[in-house]
Amino acid sequence: MSTSDGGHRSEAVAAIADREYGTAGDRYTRAGRRVLADPRPDVDPFAPDPKGWVGIGIGYLATAAVCYRVAGAGERATQRSVEGIAVARDLAAGLDRPVQRACLAEFIADFRVIGGTGDAATAYDEAADAYGSSPPDERGPQYWGTTPLFEAAAAPIKQVARTLDNGEIAVTWEDLHGSDPADLGAFLGARPTYKRQRFPGLLERVTEAGVLAAPRGTTEYSTDHHRCPDCGSTDVNWAAENTLCLRCSRPTAEQ
């Protein structure tokens, strides 16, 4: 995801690797605000955009809130979630496709889970209804699902879930989406339904463990060039300019 985050996302991932989750929350917050102000050189955050690049900034705010929660800073997690909800509602006036506005409603439900800011289950139902009432679109649901906005909305639950699955992909494309790509409402409406069922429990388990994995980037298994000093794994995850252990998300070392 190529956006103007000022290098703050890379610093956030480095802080996760050091298990400094409060610092990671601060860095993700700065990354989010930077992207919200100026997503890309040619993108106005308040103008219609079929890619929804500004959504990456909202996603960073959501991940910031997750980091604060894992750090035990519940009040800051709530504050960031309130901020994210306000931003998502505001940007709904700029993104002109109903399906994009449904994705922003999905974000709002995520923030309610992360920050404990209201009835998340109802918010997910509202997002599913918004998808269901979206008119057919010439681009198709698979197109929308792979745009930056939708990928950003999927990122927090994926990061939380891989924490609990030894760094592997624990939430797949098939998990999040419906089985019929010809049906926009059902295909994308599966996203909030799945999250309603899974995200609160996953987040609670990660919070109790006090550990959060880094996001998954480019990976390589059983390398002959890196070994993790902490867990001994030779599986590598290159994420946001950081070279990390795929398994424990700690910095890994060349051998």
Side-chain angles (χ1 to χ4, degrees):
M1 296 182 182
S2 178
T3 49
S4 307
D5 64 42
H8 298 304
R9 178 177 179 252
S10 179
E11 294 174 354
V13 173
I16 287 177
D18 291 336
R19 299 192 176 173
E20 297 289 342
Y21 301 118
T23 299
D26 292 345
R27 297 293 187 268
Y28 268 120
T29 297
R30 296 178 68 182
R33 291 172 178 170
R34 180 74 175 265
V35 172
L36 289 170
D38 188 17
R40 287 164 61 92
D42 57 343
V43 175
D44 180 340
F46 299 110
D49 169 20
K51 296 289 187 180
W53 286 102
V54 72
I56 294 177
I58 307 174
Y60 290 161
L61 294 184
T63 306
V66 171
C67 290
Y68 289 135
R69 183 162 170 179
V70 173
E75 184 176 352
R76 298 207 74 193
T78 297
Q79 291 169 345
R80 201 61 66 240
S81 295
V82 170
E83 178 182 356
I85 289 170
V87 170
R89 286 175 172 165
D90 183 52
L91 291 175
L95 294 175
D96 61 348
R97 299 297 183 107
V99 69
Q100 292 178 310
R101 293 195 289 271
C103 188
L104 292 174
E106 180 185 328
F107 258 126
I108 289 171
D110 288 343
F111 280 117
R112 294 206 180 282
V113 171
I114 299 165
T117 58
D119 187 348
T122 296
Y124 280 128
D125 288 344
E126 291 173 350
D129 290 343
Y131 281 123
S133 62
S134 296
D137 187 281
E138 70 278 7
R139 296 180 186 270
Q142 289 183 309
Y143 164 83
W144 291 112
T146 57
T147 59
L149 174 66
F150 281 76
E151 289 185 342
I157 189 173
K158 288 183 175 182
Q159 186 170 347
V160 167
R162 72 180 300 266
T163 307
L164 303 168
D165 199 27
N166 198 29
E168 291 294 345
I169 298 172
V171 173
T172 66
W173 171 271
E174 290 77 16
D175 291 330
L176 280 172
H177 299 94
S179 58
D180 182 4
D183 186 336
L184 183 146
F187 189 80
L188 296 177
R191 293 166 57 103
T193 300
Y194 178 83
K195 287 182 175 182
R196 176 182 176 176
Q197 296 168 348
R198 295 294 312 280
F199 198 23
L202 291 169
L203 187 60
E204 186 63 31
R205 290 170 61 193
V206 167
T207 301
E208 290 177 355
V211 177
L212 178 67
R216 187 176 173 113
T218 301
T219 60
E220 184 177 349
Y221 289 79
S222 301
T223 70
D224 58 4
H225 45 75
H226 282 81
R227 181 176 296 276
C228 177
D230 283 80
C231 72
S233 173
T234 57
D235 301 332
V236 182
N237 176 33
W238 288 276
E241 302 178 18
N242 293 271
T243 304
L244 308 176
C245 175
L246 179 67
R247 301 305 170 191
C248 68
S249 290
R250 300 286 278 172
T252 191
E254 289 191 62
Q255 60 175 356

